[in-house]
Amino acid sequence: MEAREALITILSGEFEVDITEEGFDAPPTYIRFFWLVAILCALAVWGATMMPSVMALLGLLGWGSYFLFLDWRMSPLVWWGAQTPTANLVAQKGSGQRLFILMAHIDSAPASFAYRPGQVQNFRASLYVSLAIMSLGVVIPLIAGSGIEVDLQTRLFVVLVIIGHAVLASLDYWRFGYTPGANDNLTGVAAATSAASHLWRHMPANAEVRLVITSAEEAGMLGAQHYWQTHRDELKARDTYLINIDTVGCQNLKYVTKSGSFTDVVYDNQLTDGAALLIQSNETFRGVSSATHLVGDFDSVWFNRDGIASLALASYDQHNRMPAIHTPEDTVEKVNMDTVAKAARFAEAIVRVTPGQGATR
């Protein structure tokens, strides 16, 4: 809230820019969702021998919700515990058929065991292991329902594994709380705000330029989901282009062409074409390249999957990772400000070389 208010103060100095806050309630982190899923699956295992059919459905609800969440899709339980007031910040200028959205999230992540330096290289494998553990909430009741005996000791062991998994996911958050969030994602907020400011001063023709600073990204990209659902009709009716800037404080700036956990999210549209063109034609951006993102995803996923031309900018180290994010080490002295500045210039340049028609190919 304080960061948002400080940003509003800065944006108030922009000429003819309208600033609004779009409030909603959200869960404070994804931790509550993880625990809800774990409890549902654990209950399904514990009661498997009493009501196997009912418990299998209960486990399927938990496992299915978890799968959708990890694949960055709308999950039926992810908004559970949405009792914390928050808001997306929107600043806009201009009018016309074309709508350019510069997006970044302002909230910091809870510290996570999965992002520790010794663990993050196994992030994708950990997703599959995690999903397999939760699937036991469906498998055990189905086994019991088929007439095979599942004794108390086995069920107790499985319950402890499921609960232990939730404990491991929560451990660093309980110890350290929220991360400083310098790279993830004050760098993105700075770059998106800078790019929007330059565009507002020299507006592209027949266009509106809109800065959207989302909240609740670290709870499951819920601020962006809320914005997409609220404005979907408008976004689909216009030639909309969205550039999401997330974690651009490492040395190597890249634009993402593919992401996703279990199913691919492919970025192939006028924005990716513009990014490729700029890299080839402008010496300033020669060091920028395309990337496949392997850890988590971006706010742009909701829009890209809905056919709205979208692009994600991020940065990586020499090992193609984002070091220190989701850890207490995500501090400002580790941020490469040259890359942040380059991300702002690159986003602005992409907007300026983008022609009409905003549908994803």
Side-chain angles (χ1 to χ4, degrees):
M1 186 183 298
E2 291 178 3
R4 226 170 28 243
E5 289 172 354
L7 188 55
I8 289 172
T9 301
I10 294 170
L11 292 172
S12 297
E14 297 285 351
F15 183 64
E16 293 184 340
V17 172
D18 294 325
I19 304 167
T20 57
E21 288 187 280
E22 299 183 357
F24 60 98
D25 290 338
T29 72
Y30 58 80
I31 300 296
R32 290 186 183 183
F33 171 75
F34 275 25
W35 273 98
L36 176 60
V37 169
I39 290 170
L40 289 177
C41 292
L43 286 174
V45 171
W46 188 254
T49 58
M50 294 177 284
M51 296 180 292
S53 297
V54 174
M55 293 300 108
L57 290 175
L58 184 67
L60 184 61
L61 174 62
W63 181 86
S65 298
Y66 195 56
F67 172 83
L68 292 171
F69 178 86
L70 294 181
D71 202 40
W72 316 115
R73 298 180 183 274
M74 294 183 66
S75 176
L77 299 178
V78 73
W79 285 91
W80 175 78
Q83 299 172 342
T84 303
T86 187
N88 293 329
L89 173 60
V90 181
Q92 57 199 79
K93 179 178 180 179
S95 61
Q97 177 61 22
R98 297 194 300 165
L99 170 61
F100 293 100
I101 298 175
L102 294 158
M103 179 172 283
H105 74 87
I106 201 169
D107 60 318
S108 295
S112 171
F113 175 85
Y115 284 85
R116 288 184 185 182
Q119 298 293 328
V120 70
Q121 67 267 24
N122 303 315
F123 186 89
R124 176 155 292 198
S126 71
L127 293 184
Y128 284 90
V129 171
S130 179
L131 194 64
I133 290 172
M134 293 304 176
S135 72
L136 296 172
V138 182
V139 172
I140 299 300
L142 289 177
I143 291 174
S146 68
I148 300 174
E149 182 182 358
V150 184
D151 59 34
L152 178 62
Q153 289 79 8
T154 300
R155 287 183 283 124
L156 179 60
F157 174 76
V158 173
V159 166
L160 290 176
V161 169
I162 292 172
I163 297 300
H165 168 266
V167 170
L168 189 62
S170 311
L171 188 61
D172 278 14
Y173 174 60
W174 291 341
R175 293 175 62 201
F176 305 115
Y178 292 94
T179 65
N183 190 17
D184 182 17
N185 184 40
L186 285 180
T187 59
V189 172
T193 302
S194 177
S197 180
H198 279 255
L199 287 163
W200 287 331
R201 293 172 193 179
H202 304 282
M203 289 288 293
N206 186 33
E208 175 189 339
V209 175
R210 189 178 297 178
L211 175 68
V212 179
I213 304 299
T214 63
S215 184
E217 194 269 354
E218 302 294 0
M221 300 183 291
L222 300 185
Q225 184 188 122
H226 179 269
Y227 186 84
W228 164 63
Q229 290 177 311
T230 303
H231 295 272
R232 184 176 186 271
D233 289 345
E234 176 201 6
L235 302 182
K236 298 290 283 185
R238 300 174 69 176
D239 296 340
T240 301
Y241 308 87
L242 183 141
I243 301 176
N244 184 73
I245 307 179
D246 194 340
T247 315
V248 288
C250 298
Q251 62 265 45
N252 300 312
L253 181 66
K254 298 178 183 288
Y255 68 96
V256 175
T257 54
K258 188 169 73 171
S259 60
S261 298
F262 306 116
T263 58
D264 290 339
V265 180
V266 178
Y267 294 86
D268 180 19
N269 52 63
Q270 292 90 334
L271 295 175
T272 53
D273 291 345
L277 175 64
L278 285 168
I279 292 169
Q280 295 173 359
S281 61
N282 191 321
E283 287 288 341
T284 305
F285 307 120
R286 283 292 170 90
V288 183
S289 61
S290 61
T292 296
H293 186 76
L294 301 175
V295 179
D297 222 300
F298 303 99
D299 274 342
S300 50
V301 67
W302 310 113
F303 307 88
N304 189 66
R305 278 184 166 149
D306 197 26
I308 296 168
S310 305
L311 180 68
L313 298 182
S315 66
Y316 305 84
D317 65 11
Q318 66 273 23
H319 304 295
N320 205 34
R321 298 175 192 152
M322 297 173 170
I325 66 169
H326 291 225
T327 72
E329 285 71 47
D330 187 11
T331 52
V332 68
E333 63 271 11
K334 295 183 176 68
V335 169
N336 187 323
M337 290 304 298
D338 290 339
T339 311
V340 179
K342 181 182 283 189
R345 293 193 298 269
F346 194 46
E348 179 189 357
I350 292 170
V351 169
R352 296 202 185 279
V353 301
T354 300
Q357 300 305 314
T360 299
R361 287 200 299 268

